[in-house]
Amino acid sequence: MKIICIGRNYSEHAKELGNSVPTEPVIFCKPDSSVLPRSNPLYIPEWTNDLHYEVELIIKIDRLGKFIEKQFASRYYSSVGLGIDFTARDVQEDLKKKGLPWEKAKSFDGSAVIGKDFISMDDFPDRMNIRFELKKNGVIVQKGNSADMIFDFDSIIENTSKYFTLKIGDLIYTGTPSGVGKVEVGDVLEGYLEGKKMFRVVIK
Ligand code: ZN
């Protein structure tokens, strides 16, 4: 199983980090060891002083494909979940300055939170109008809607499958809306997809 992530897919988030809005999806990957086991806390790694949450919609691939055309892309995923792409922002900024890859900042153990359920796309009247939010210690810190994605699900499938064979069970994190921020020891993060609770993560 591999995890493909899309960066800067919401223009307000690109702007809040001082990045330009991309004309091509920004892509990076997380290894399977990055998945935080369900109900485990996340321990802040000792090598970062600025660990950020990024709540994201996740699509799950359920059909093998390569060079998928956009018009057929919706045949390759049928459900959506919610997760967190944890990011060591200080490390990422340093790597960005040096023009180096981001994996140390984004692909470490526990950096990928995956909510307990994936919900069938058929359960949403419009897949381009899916609401989600993240609460930190009970307060909403991020609010997103798939309508605001720069690259929609089908465009992401088309683009990523040019580079990677998409396999059954692969996950694609589709980018985070604005409102990312730092976590501290003791924080509790809860993700909601259309009002339904999908995960709870305690920071240690
Ligand atoms: Zn992200």
Side-chain angles (χ1 to χ4, degrees), residues 10 55 57 130-134 142-148 177:
Y10 290 79
V55 71
L57 293 174
I130 299 174
R131 282 184 307 118
F132 59 102
E133 55 195 35
L134 182 73
Q142 285 191 280
K143 259 184 161 176
N145 190 306
S146 58
D148 299 323

Side-chain angles (χ1 to χ4, degrees), residues 53-124:
Y53 51 78
E54 296 189 354
V55 71
E56 313 202 359
L57 293 174
I58 307 171
I59 50 177
K60 189 191 255 180
I61 301 301
D62 50 17
R63 186 170 166 172
L64 183 80
K66 172 89 177 168
F67 297 121
I68 300 161
E69 288 177 49
K70 190 175 175 185
Q71 56 178 320
F72 303 119
S74 64
R75 298 179 186 175
Y76 290 81
Y77 63 97
S78 59
S79 61
V80 64
L82 193 71
I84 297 179
D85 163 25
F86 274 114
T87 304
R89 195 69 69 199
D90 48 355
V91 176
Q92 186 196 24
E93 290 302 323
D94 190 46
L95 294 168
K96 273 163 64 179
K97 262 185 232 145
K98 293 176 179 160
L100 294 172
W102 297 353
E103 273 74 7
K104 285 181 184 174
K106 279 184 166 285
S107 309
F108 56 89
D109 288 3
S111 63
V113 171
I114 305 169
K116 59 181 160 56
D117 297 318
F118 278 77
I119 297 175
S120 170
M121 285 285 180
D122 298 336
D123 290 356
F124 300 99

Side-chain angles (χ1 to χ4, degrees), residues 28-40:
F28 59 95
C29 293
K30 290 179 187 270
D32 56 5
S33 50
S34 68
V35 175
L36 184 69
R38 207 148 288 158
S39 77
N40 275 27

Side-chain angles (χ1 to χ4, degrees), residues 2 51 89 96 109-110 134 156 167 174 176 195 204:
K2 63 180 167 294
L51 183 66
R89 195 69 69 199
K96 273 163 64 179
D109 288 3
L134 182 73
I156 289 170
K167 293 186 173 182
T174 59
T176 196
K204 290 204 170 173

Side-chain angles (χ1 to χ4, degrees), residues 39-51:
S39 77
N40 275 27
L42 178 71
Y43 289 89
I44 300 176
E46 80 284 357
W47 42 259
T48 177
N49 293 309
D50 197 18
L51 183 66

